[in-house]
Amino acid sequence: MNKFTQYLSVLLLAFGLQSPLFAQHPTPIDMLYQPLDDFFRFSGAGGGSLYGLFKPSGAASGILSLDGNFNLKEKVEKAKRKINTLSVNFKIHPFINTLIESGDSMDVRRFAFQDNDFRMQFGARLTRLKENEKMPNFGFKSFAQGFVDLIVVPYQVANSVNATQNKGFTTLSFNAGGKFGIITKFMDGNFGITANPQIDMLFILDGGDSKALEEVTIRNVSTTVLDAMPRSARGYVAGGLKIEIPLNDFMISFDIRRYFKLGSGAELEGLTNNTLFSIGGIAMGSIFKNRSKKKDKPKDR
């Protein structure tokens, strides 16, 4: 890692200590660029979002990630090398603060951009990577990827006006979509840009007649106010587009989403009445990686 990359990584890690994390935690770019050689990593990461600068801290940096690549197929046709891989990952954020004070008026955008504001995440990516065999020194590669992510965040409510009923809730997010982009060599490392159309489903799991969600998203809460409020819907779906720009060990992302409620219940103000937009950053560092020895490439057919 050169000095420029080190400097930006330190900035992003410091940024993550000030705000929640709202940039999708990516597969390390080296694993995407060289999926057969760089096939396993244990990494740490931290980052932040633009609007998080103006909000109380909701989390601290300290994500731990396991990523693995599995080779499904490799071939060369018409001077084009094509590699199909299956990537799986497991991430945990042990230091995230999920204790919410009653009446804090929590920003509901935290539910939307949970990509790194999570307790646990499970993901899989099916990737087809292409490169031109006639220009191996150019280092230019294109890829298409399908992905799915399951994200879990448990919240607890502190000082509830109804501690028996409003103990807390768990958000369960299911995100699926595609990534289409290019990666190449840049500044002694790798640089890329991707466009990621996706569908995001969000479910609030609280059971019974709990109004813990309503209690933490309004100010001046009281038993009387809660009793008078309609219960918000517990299911939502969104369409969105994310642009990611990874460079070596850090990434900047731009994310836009539009949510709609599913089933009965009231609209959740701040989530379904606006198109949501976020700018985020992530800095990553490998704690351990396992690389295979170089093998002969398959011959052109």
Side-chain angles (χ1 to χ4, degrees):
M1 186 187 297
N2 56 35
K3 291 183 179 180
F4 175 74
T5 304
Q6 289 177 335
Y7 177 70
L8 283 175
S9 297
V10 170
L11 281 181
L12 285 172
L13 285 169
F15 183 32
L17 292 173
Q18 301 297 322
S19 61
L21 309 175
F22 296 112
Q24 186 180 39
H25 192 184
T27 298
I29 192 171
D30 289 343
M31 295 186 73
L32 181 59
Y33 191 78
Q34 299 174 308
L36 304 186
D37 301 325
D38 201 332
F39 62 89
F40 175 80
R41 286 205 180 198
F42 176 38
S43 306
S49 69
L50 180 63
Y51 85 78
L53 284 173
F54 310 103
K55 299 292 180 181
S57 177
S61 300
I63 298 169
L64 299 177
S65 172
L66 292 173
D67 294 86
N69 272 336
F70 300 90
N71 181 16
L72 300 181
K73 187 177 182 180
E74 179 186 9
K75 66 178 180 180
V76 176
E77 290 183 341
K78 298 179 181 180
K80 294 283 187 179
R81 186 186 185 204
K82 301 177 182 179
I83 303 173
N84 293 346
T85 58
L86 173 64
S87 302
V88 294
N89 58 63
F90 170 72
K91 301 177 177 67
I92 186 169
H93 194 172
F95 306 111
I96 183 178
N97 177 18
T98 59
L99 183 65
I100 308 170
E101 191 76 20
S102 175
D104 266 356
S105 190
M106 177 182 179
D107 195 320
V108 297
R109 287 179 294 181
R110 186 175 178 184
F111 301 146
F113 301 109
Q114 286 185 327
D115 302 87
N116 274 314
D117 193 21
F118 57 82
R119 177 72 71 190
M120 291 187 296
Q121 176 186 335
F122 306 87
R125 283 122 176 81
L126 186 62
T127 307
R128 167 166 282 197
L129 184 71
K130 297 181 181 180
E131 65 176 317
N132 193 328
E133 287 287 287
K134 292 183 179 180
M135 296 186 294
N137 294 327
F138 183 56
F140 178 88
K141 301 181 183 182
S142 62
F143 70 92
Q145 182 182 88
F147 71 88
V148 294
D149 287 314
L150 180 66
I151 304 168
V152 181
V153 190
Y155 294 98
Q156 297 84 41
V157 179
N159 300 318
S160 171
V161 297
N162 188 341
T164 302
Q165 179 174 290
N166 300 339
K167 296 180 179 179
F169 56 92
T170 297
T171 61
L172 181 66
S173 298
F174 180 78
N175 302 336
K179 292 189 178 189
F180 307 91
I182 56 173
I183 46 178
T184 188
K185 290 291 184 181
F186 182 74
M187 295 177 61
D188 298 325
N190 295 316
F191 168 79
I193 183 169
T194 73
N196 314 337
Q198 60 190 48
I199 294 176
D200 308 290
M201 301 187 72
L202 170 66
F203 300 97
I204 312 295
L205 309 178
D206 55 8
D209 298 322
S210 171
K211 284 191 175 180
L213 174 63
E214 289 74 17
E215 183 170 354
V216 299
T217 55
I218 63 173
R219 290 192 181 276
N220 301 319
V221 66
S222 67
T223 304
T224 303
V225 171
L226 279 182
D227 289 343
M229 284 187 65
R231 197 166 184 266
S232 301
R234 268 22 185 192
Y236 302 88
V237 63
L241 177 68
K242 179 179 296 181
I243 304 298
E244 296 177 342
I245 305 176
L247 173 59
N248 296 337
D249 294 326
F250 69 93
M251 184 192 76
I252 298 173
S253 68
F254 307 86
D255 196 343
I256 185 169
R257 300 184 190 181
R258 179 69 181 185
Y259 275 85
F260 305 89
K261 76 181 183 72
L262 297 173
S264 60
E267 301 283 354
L268 184 57
E269 186 176 354
L271 183 69
T272 57
N273 59 327
N274 293 306
T275 298
L276 305 181
F277 179 74
S278 179
I279 301 175
I282 279 287
M284 300 169 55
S286 295
I287 300 171
F288 173 81
K289 60 183 177 180
N290 195 351
R291 302 189 61 156
S292 64
K293 296 180 179 179
K294 296 288 185 179
K295 298 180 181 179
D296 293 335
K297 296 180 181 180
K299 297 180 180 179
D300 199 349
R301 297 179 183 176

